Amino acid sequence: MPDYSGQVAVITGGAGGIGGALGKALEAAGAQVLLADREAADGIVACDVANLEEVEALAELAWQRFGRVDLLVNNAGISGGGGRLWKADIAAARRVFEVNFWGVWHGCAAFAPRMAAQDHPSAIYNVASENALFCAVPRSAAYIASKHAVLGLTESLREDLPEHVHAGTIIPGWVLSGLTSEGGRDQAMPAERYAEIILPQLAARERFVVSHAYNVVPMTERTAALEAAFARYAPRYDGDEEHDVRAYIARLRGG
C-alpha cells in the first residue's frame, strides 16, 4: 500500500460506505483524515455539501487544523427521484442534483483555489459511478444524470487547475453502502475491499480510478454503438478537423 505519511485528506460523505472505508485506509497508510457528513458524529464534522457556505467552512477548518490539504475526495451522494422519468418526483430528483452534482461543484470551488496556492502536489478526486459510463440501475434518471455530470465536471476542472493540482474521477461499481438495497447487500463489493483497490490509484494520480472489471462490458456496448454511428453517418476524411472546436482553439493559440 502507498505511504501517505505527512499528508492530509478531506473526505465528504465520510460517515460510512466508501467514504468511511477510504478514510480508515488512508489513516492506516499514515494520513491525517478529516471526515465530513451531513450529520455530526464521533470523528465526523457536520457539512451539508449542498450548502456552499458549509463547504467553505469545511475548507477553512481543514487549513486551520492541518495547515494543508493534499487530497480532497468529494464523495457525498444520495439516491432518489426514481421510477419512470415522467413519473419521478421532481423535488427528489432536484435534491439528488443538489448533493451529487452541486455538492461536488461546491467542494471543488471551495478547495481548489487553496490547493492551487500551495506549493506542493495535491489532488482532487470526485466520486462518480459506473452510472457515469452506462445505465447500471434502471429507472434512476436523476442519479444516472448526476453521475454523468460529475464526470463532465471533473474533466473540465482538469483544465482549470495548475500542474501541481491533479483532478480525477473515481468510478465505483457496486459497492456496499447506505444506498445498497437490503436484498443486494451480500452481492455488493465490501467497502473495505474497494478502498484497498483504489488507494494505490489515488496515490498514482490516475485520471480514472476503476475497480469492477465487468463494467467494461456495458461501457463498450455504448462506445461501440457510438463508433458505429460515426462510421455510418460521419466517417473520417482528410481535413475533417475543419469544424472541430478544439482544433479551432488550438489554431487561435498558435498550436
Side-chain angles (χ1 to χ4, degrees):
M1 297 299 287
D3 183 7
Y4 278 86
S5 298
Q7 297 192 40
V8 174
V10 178
I11 305 173
T12 65
I18 291 173
L22 184 58
K24 291 177 181 177
L26 283 162
E27 286 183 337
Q32 298 180 84
V33 180
L34 178 60
L35 297 176
D37 211 292
R38 189 174 183 187
E39 301 293 335
D42 185 28
I44 306 290
V45 175
C47 179
D48 180 357
V49 297
N51 186 317
L52 177 57
E53 291 183 357
E54 292 192 23
V55 181
E56 290 174 336
L58 178 65
E60 180 67 22
L61 174 64
W63 265 271
Q64 285 181 353
R65 183 176 296 184
F66 303 109
R68 63 187 288 157
V69 171
D70 301 276
L71 174 65
L72 169 66
V73 181
N74 289 308
N75 167 71
I78 63 171
S79 61
R84 294 183 187 275
L85 188 145
W86 56 90
K87 293 184 176 181
D89 184 311
I90 295 296
R94 289 184 184 278
R95 178 60 185 170
V96 168
F97 262 81
E98 287 293 329
V99 176
N100 292 7
F101 175 71
W102 286 108
V104 171
W105 184 300
H106 293 162
C108 295
F111 280 80
R114 292 173 179 264
M115 296 171 80
Q118 297 177 145
D119 60 2
H120 61 270
S122 60
I124 296 172
Y125 275 98
N126 299 326
V127 178
S129 165
E130 61 187 356
N131 287 280
L133 306 178
F134 53 86
C135 298
V137 182
R139 298 182 180 176
S140 301
Y143 186 81
I144 291 168
S146 72
K147 293 303 184 177
H148 275 67
V150 168
L151 176 59
L153 179 155
T154 310
E155 288 291 281
S156 181
L157 175 67
R158 288 172 55 83
E159 300 188 349
D160 295 335
L161 295 170
E163 188 173 344
H164 66 286
V165 184
H166 174 79
T169 307
I170 299 174
I171 306 175
W174 195 8
V175 178
L176 185 62
S177 73
L179 302 183
T180 307
S181 65
E182 189 63 34
R185 297 187 71 80
D186 61 343
Q187 299 296 312
M189 179 184 288
E192 294 75 17
R193 179 186 170 198
Y194 180 73
E196 291 179 356
I197 292 171
I198 70 168
L199 197 58
Q201 298 179 60
L202 301 183
R205 301 292 191 251
E206 296 292 351
R207 178 177 175 181
F208 302 115
V209 175
V210 298
S211 53
H212 292 56
Y214 191 77
N215 282 175
V216 170
V217 176
M219 181 189 72
T220 301
E221 186 280 329
R222 169 185 277 189
T223 56
L226 279 165
E227 289 175 358
F230 273 97
R232 187 176 301 115
Y233 299 110
R236 296 293 309 273
Y237 59 89
D238 289 342
D240 57 6
E241 72 279 4
E242 60 181 334
H243 303 303
D244 183 72
V245 173
R246 280 287 187 174
Y248 172 71
I249 293 172
R251 289 195 297 271
L252 286 181
R253 293 175 177 174

